[in-house]
Amino acid sequence: MLRPVPLVDQFRRIEEELPEDWSDARLQLTVSDPAKAARTAALLGATGAGRSGNTIRFYTARRGAGIGPEGVRRLLRKVDEEGIRGELELLAAGKPTVIAPTHRRTLVESWDAALAALPSDWSELHCELELTSTDYLERAALLTAPLNPSRFDDTPGFRFRVASHAGYGASPEMVRRCLQRLDENGIRGEIRVLRVLSASNHVATQGPVWYVGGRVV
């Protein structure tokens, strides 16, 4: 009888078949033992995993939104160490968008691109807006007040949460309006999606809680 192929090795094989310039990938893991599906989804939680029965879908990206390939390998090793078996398959993969060097992307354009790279069932985001100058901080804080922005270190910028449908966080439409105001005021910076969850189910709560550096965000 052939030994089951470890999930981390299945992921490496998928990586080898991806084009050299791949930017993101959507994966599906079918767990052999349905009783272990919930535990597997928990172990892969950092990827924004969503579970339906014994099928778990998650997302990885080389940059920007989503956890990177090395992070996925680390999490799959933990799944393997618990003796959980299954079949990993690639659902879709994307290539990076090429932008002309002379074109400086606005914050709204960056936000639209970040959303386009997310899985279609995303539910919560933890985002970061890094400004190009501390001179922008006071004005940017005022213009992004509806997002409930918070400072995180000495970097000139803010972090905030976004909810796609319900729960704690600004709506993606509100984020876009605030970023548009920044663009109109000549405030420059970069928007990033730091963490993403998909298909989360709120049960008597306003949504999931992230702990970053010992703090709730």
Side-chain angles (χ1 to χ4, degrees):
M1 181 180 294
L2 296 176
R3 295 180 59 186
V5 179
L7 294 172
V8 70
D9 289 341
Q10 294 184 45
F11 181 63
R12 287 197 184 99
R13 292 179 183 176
I14 289 173
E15 283 188 287
E16 291 172 357
E17 296 175 358
L18 289 170
E20 291 184 4
D21 59 346
W22 73 275
S23 61
D24 54 75
R26 182 78 165 151
L27 300 147
Q28 177 172 289
L29 170 60
T30 303
V31 181
S32 301
D33 184 353
K36 296 182 178 180
R39 175 57 179 166
T40 307
L43 290 171
L44 296 174
T47 65
R51 181 172 74 93
S52 176
N54 67 326
T55 299
I56 299 164
R57 292 186 176 185
F58 59 97
Y59 176 87
T60 182
R62 280 175 156 175
R63 60 187 65 84
I67 190 170
E70 181 56 40
V72 170
R73 286 191 290 271
R74 184 170 60 252
L75 295 175
L76 289 175
R77 286 191 195 98
K78 293 180 180 179
V79 177
D80 286 329
E81 288 169 0
E82 294 205 9
I84 298 172
R85 301 291 177 248
E87 182 179 353
L88 187 65
E89 59 182 311
L90 176 69
L91 297 180
K95 294 185 177 182
T97 302
V98 178
I99 302 173
T102 56
H103 174 66
R104 186 164 188 172
R105 177 176 278 178
T106 66
L107 288 169
V108 166
E109 290 173 330
S110 295
W111 176 244
D112 290 343
L115 290 185
L118 293 174
S120 60
D121 59 349
W122 74 268
S123 52
E124 283 89 15
L125 306 176
H126 185 214
C127 300
E128 177 179 290
L129 169 63
E130 182 177 348
L131 305 172
T132 58
S133 172
T134 55
D135 294 340
Y136 296 143
L137 275 173
E138 186 174 348
R139 181 63 175 164
L142 177 64
L143 295 174
T144 60
L147 309 183
N148 193 24
S150 61
R151 294 296 311 280
F152 51 96
D153 56 25
D154 294 333
T155 303
F158 310 97
R159 288 179 179 173
F160 56 94
R161 289 185 55 164
V162 187
S164 62
H165 301 296
Y168 181 76
S171 69
E173 294 80 13
M174 176 57 73
V175 174
R176 197 177 194 278
R177 283 197 292 272
C178 289
L179 295 178
Q180 186 175 20
R181 293 173 190 144
L182 296 180
D183 286 334
E184 291 170 352
N185 278 261
I187 296 175
R188 299 290 176 255
E190 182 177 356
I191 189 78
R192 305 184 188 94
V193 176
L194 303 177
R195 296 169 181 83
V196 56
L197 291 178
S198 293
S200 59
N201 184 20
H202 302 178
V203 180
T205 70
Q206 288 191 332
V209 174
W210 281 297
Y211 287 90
V212 180
R215 296 174 55 193
V216 175
V217 299

